[in-house]
Amino acid sequence: MAVAVHSDEELGQRLHERLVAGDPTAQARVAEEILPGILETFGRYRIARRSDEQLVTDAVVDAFVDYVERPAAFDPAKLNLPAFLRLAAHRNLLNLREKHATQRKYEKAVELAHADRNDIWEEELIERDERDTLLARIPGDTLAEKVASILPELTDQNLCMLMLEGERETSVFAELLGLSGAPEDVRREVKRHKDRIAKVLGRYRKNLHHGDAGK
Amino acid sequence: MATPESNVTERAAQRAKGHPSFVGYALSLYQQSRGQSEAELAGWLGCPIDTMSRLSLCRRPVGTDAAFRFDVEAIARFAGIDAERLVQVLRTAEGIEAFRSVPAAGDADSRPLRFAARQAGKAGSDEVAGGGKGEGS
């Protein structure tokens, strides 16, 4: 039955209700009518712009498949479906990139083992070792898990991940935070949230140096 | 021209072939068992090849109760295909899955399995007889 809808958010809500009610075609409609818009919006994120196009598409498709197989993981009271899928795609892309980065790191290590050493490389290695040692002390296997161990709120985790990626678009943060209104107010509010996260991270890092992180 | 946005649905349909909860998985098993191309399968189901993506992305109906028939007819309407043939695809896929889940021939008596597969195929045809095809088109 055709249903008149006004936005992707509304359409997502209706399709989710149909999917949960057992309509076997609802998920196909999510793929046809919601996914292209998600890819378009997500494609504007800094992390997506800096990633391989196939990897970005895979991250969106993974988010869709995970949702279809576990629709209960989506809570409409917290987020709308497109936003939920975008966040999931964002996490997936981070994980996919991390996998690739680990592979590259290994390849680089092999290269280094065969290369002539010089002072600059040694300095870089020492710096990287220090950073890795610090990072290794934060609980969690992936960067996303480590962030989750510091920030209990899902929105804060996603905010933090965007900051770590170097995202600069205020609109991306505003969307995540569900902010709307005068641009100046939105900008101020986004900055307040980013400062708050930076403060928590700074405090955690300081505690980590003193060996009492998480206390 | 295909854009990344239009490709995402196609990619999702391709991914569906590896997930048993999607119709695409059953279509893939059926296609392999018959040695058909996707275009041949689309022709046999009675739909244009473009429709195979939307069909693949539907939830795969399972079981034998009224809900199964209801789901098959909903999907057939949605994708504009022959409901009876969709049942045939789904039952064949179930048979293949059952076959793969038992020990290799010689380790166990395979006659009950062949019997079950034949029964499943027969049940599939019976389920939509008397209205399934008409309603599903």
Side-chain angles (χ1 to χ4, degrees), chain A residues 66-96:
Chain A
D66 288 345
Y67 160 67
V68 162
E69 298 200 326
R70 287 181 302 112
F74 166 57
D75 180 358
K78 286 186 180 169
L79 277 175
N80 60 60
L81 185 60
F84 172 80
L85 291 173
R86 264 196 306 276
L87 288 179
H90 182 228
R91 272 195 302 276
N92 293 339
L93 184 57
L94 285 170
N95 288 335
L96 289 170

Side-chain angles (χ1 to χ4, degrees), chain A residues 35 56-66 92, chain B residues 8 11-12 15:
Chain A
L35 282 198
V56 176
T57 307
D58 280 345
V60 172
V61 170
D62 286 346
F64 163 72
V65 173
D66 288 345
N92 293 339
Chain B
V8 70
R11 285 282 284 278
R15 187 75 60 80

Side-chain angles (χ1 to χ4, degrees), chain A residues 43-55:
Chain A
R44 292 200 292 265
Y45 283 32
R46 186 185 170 100
I47 186 175
R49 291 197 309 270
R50 293 181 166 198
S51 303
D52 178 74
E53 201 177 89
Q54 299 282 71
L55 219 56

Side-chain angles (χ1 to χ4, degrees), chain A residues 11-215:
Chain A
L11 178 64
Q13 176 63 27
R14 284 166 197 262
L15 290 177
H16 174 70
E17 284 165 9
R18 286 170 64 161
L19 187 144
V20 172
D23 180 348
T25 67
Q27 59 190 56
R29 286 195 59 196
V30 170
E32 287 181 344
E33 297 171 46
I34 305 267
L35 282 198
I38 287 166
L39 184 62
E40 195 189 347
T41 310
F42 182 51
R44 292 200 292 265
Y45 283 32
R46 186 185 170 100
I47 186 175
R49 291 197 309 270
R50 293 181 166 198
S51 303
D52 178 74
E53 201 177 89
Q54 299 282 71
L55 219 56
V56 176
T57 307
D58 280 345
V60 172
V61 170
D62 286 346
F64 163 72
V65 173
D66 288 345
Y67 160 67
V68 162
E69 298 200 326
R70 287 181 302 112
F74 166 57
D75 180 358
K78 286 186 180 169
L79 277 175
N80 60 60
L81 185 60
F84 172 80
L85 291 173
R86 264 196 306 276
L87 288 179
H90 182 228
R91 272 195 302 276
N92 293 339
L93 184 57
L94 285 170
N95 288 335
L96 289 170
R97 281 169 57 112
E98 203 160 291
K99 268 187 206 164
H100 283 226
T102 305
Q103 177 66 22
R104 276 201 303 273
K105 201 171 171 181
Y106 172 75
E107 286 164 4
K108 184 82 181 171
V110 172
E111 269 176 40
L112 282 174
H114 291 93
D116 290 331
R117 287 171 178 261
N118 61 40
D119 289 349
I120 296 169
W121 279 23
E122 279 182 17
E123 273 173 28
E124 277 181 3
L125 279 174
I126 291 166
E127 211 172 275
R128 200 170 65 189
D129 276 354
E130 279 176 4
R131 202 175 53 228
D132 288 352
T133 307
L134 212 59
L135 210 57
R137 288 170 58 194
I138 305 173
D141 292 331
T142 63
L143 187 59
E145 284 173 13
K146 287 176 189 294
V147 167
S149 75
I150 303 171
L151 300 160
E153 291 292 324
L154 183 65
T155 309
D156 285 352
Q157 291 166 23
N158 288 311
L159 198 67
C160 179
M161 293 307 283
L162 285 175
M163 289 167 65
L164 291 174
E165 288 153 21
E167 179 62 65
R168 290 184 173 279
E169 280 293 321
T170 301
S171 62
V172 173
F173 289 101
E175 188 193 22
L176 176 69
L177 292 164
L179 299 175
S180 58
E184 196 46 48
D185 293 343
V186 169
R187 238 192 319 273
R188 198 179 307 115
E189 191 61 9
V190 165
K191 185 178 180 314
R192 191 180 68 76
H193 279 281
K194 285 166 79 173
D195 289 347
R196 180 174 56 80
I197 297 294
K199 212 167 171 179
V200 174
L201 292 183
R203 203 162 43 230
Y204 189 91
R205 188 189 169 108
K206 205 171 162 187
N207 289 340
L208 208 57
H209 272 301
H210 292 99
D212 57 353
K215 289 178 187 173

